[in-house]
Amino acid sequence: MSSKSNTVLGSFLRSRRDRLTPAQAGITPFPGPRRVPGLRKEELAVLVGISPDHYSRLEQGRQATLSEDLCDALARALQLDELESKHLRTLAARSPRRARWQSAQHPEPGLLRVMTALEELPVLLLGRRSEVLARNALLEAVLGTTFEPGTSFVRWLLLDPAARERITNWDEFAAAAVGGLRYEIGRHPDDAKLRELIDELRADSPAVARWWDEQGVIDRTSLIKRIRHPAAGLLEFGVESVSAPHCPDQRLVIYTVEPDSPTARTMPLLHSWAYAQTDLAEPAK
């Protein structure tokens, strides 16, 4: 395990400790003045069943490995949910895979076929670092942006003012995207390009920096996305992600609609307009 990974683990443990009060943990607070409402290191160490010095080494990144039993005890004491527990174990067991994450990305053929079959819905194929690998015309019509392959979808979402204007619940969606980045860097800490992207986003957006410091982790959660479209009006989509078992780092992002909803009734018109625009854009043969 690299020292950088240990530092990330320590920061995550500290953030979860800070959010848990003694009352929430079910213990009597240790005597003495408290500088923060969260658990003290000594209190958490008692809950976990290790010495305060042992726990301090974890937060300081000075312990090379964590056993499964220790991870289990930390997850219980910190009241981590399932995804946070998985993230903890990922941070506690790192192995370098530097070369893999620098290679070029290519769309998975099976996911491309699924995207073609779903042309009545907005669909986007994303790879590592939320890089756009493919998209359909309806997706671009809904979001009002041309996403060329290789474009960073998360950079558009978090930094482009047009994204904030188009997505009415932008804060909710953007915060989830930041949680997704943290989960991804936890799985791939040696992806230098991903780390550079995260540093750029944090530097250019105070909101991103704040969400990042909160240490939240999200893995492709289902969310409702509300769009303010200049021609079609208000649109509402359930955004779902699909991955192929043999290609977990690519995901098909599908904008679903409720049957008989105002959005569902609008989609055929928007679909016709979107693909008509695509035909007009193609050079004459």
Side-chain angles (χ1 to χ4, degrees):
M1 182 189 297
S2 67
S3 59
K4 182 176 290 186
S5 297
N6 279 334
T7 301
V8 174
L9 171 63
S11 297
F12 179 68
L13 291 174
R14 172 64 187 270
S15 73
R16 302 304 91 172
R17 176 169 65 85
D18 285 348
R19 74 176 184 180
L20 191 65
T21 66
Q24 290 170 328
I27 63 171
T28 301
F30 284 17
R34 306 186 72 86
R35 293 190 297 271
V36 294
L39 290 175
R40 292 175 175 173
K41 291 181 182 179
E42 297 83 358
E43 292 167 338
L44 181 55
V46 169
L47 287 171
V48 175
I50 59 178
S51 70
D53 180 64
H54 188 177
Y55 180 76
S56 291
R57 291 201 303 273
L58 299 181
E59 280 200 8
Q60 294 166 6
R62 294 191 290 119
Q63 177 156 336
T65 59
L66 276 69
S67 68
E68 279 294 317
D69 287 345
L70 181 51
C71 286
D72 288 342
L74 286 165
R76 286 194 300 270
L78 291 168
Q79 301 180 14
L80 303 184
D81 61 27
E82 182 177 352
L83 183 60
E84 289 173 328
S85 297
K86 184 177 179 181
H87 183 61
L88 169 65
R89 286 169 172 78
T90 299
L91 297 179
R94 296 266 32 98
S95 59
R97 292 180 290 185
R98 189 177 307 278
R100 177 182 174 188
W101 308 116
Q102 310 310 315
S103 58
Q105 302 188 73
H106 303 284
E108 202 283 321
L111 293 176
L112 281 178
R113 289 193 293 271
V114 174
M115 186 176 74
T116 301
L118 295 172
E119 68 172 15
E120 301 294 328
L121 293 172
V123 184
L124 180 69
L125 178 58
L126 297 178
R128 300 188 306 273
R129 315 174 201 101
S130 291
E131 182 177 313
V132 175
L133 303 181
R135 76 289 183 214
N136 64 14
L138 191 52
L139 183 282
E140 294 186 336
V142 166
L143 295 183
T145 301
T146 300
F147 295 102
E148 294 296 335
T151 301
S152 171
F153 182 80
V154 74
R155 182 183 285 113
W156 172 82
L157 174 66
L158 296 177
L159 298 185
D160 194 325
R164 191 188 292 258
E165 294 173 4
R166 183 66 64 115
I167 303 170
T168 64
N169 59 333
W170 180 87
D171 283 359
E172 177 185 6
F173 216 82
V178 175
L181 286 172
R182 179 169 288 285
Y183 185 68
E184 186 175 1
I185 197 64
R187 294 173 60 232
H188 309 308
D190 298 301
D191 186 340
K193 291 182 179 179
L194 176 58
R195 194 167 294 281
E196 289 171 4
L197 173 63
I198 292 169
D199 289 344
E200 173 196 344
L201 297 172
R202 294 174 65 193
D204 291 349
S205 170
V208 171
R210 182 178 72 255
W211 290 322
W212 184 262
D213 290 342
E214 290 173 358
Q215 295 273 339
V217 288
I218 293 178
D219 182 26
R220 305 176 186 179
T221 185
S222 299
L223 286 176
I224 299 297
K225 179 179 277 189
R226 299 180 178 88
I227 302 292
R228 183 185 295 110
H229 194 277
L234 293 177
L235 304 172
E236 183 170 291
F237 300 95
V239 180
E240 308 291 342
S241 295
V242 177
S243 295
H246 59 282
C247 192
D249 291 307
Q250 293 188 23
R251 65 187 187 275
L252 203 62
V253 182
I254 306 167
Y255 287 47
T256 64
V257 297
E258 286 289 337
D260 299 322
S261 65
T263 299
R265 292 191 290 271
T266 301
M267 290 309 292
L269 295 175
L270 195 55
H271 175 273
S272 298
W273 177 84
Y275 284 92
Q277 294 296 112
T278 299
D279 293 339
L280 289 173
E282 292 180 352
K285 296 181 180 179

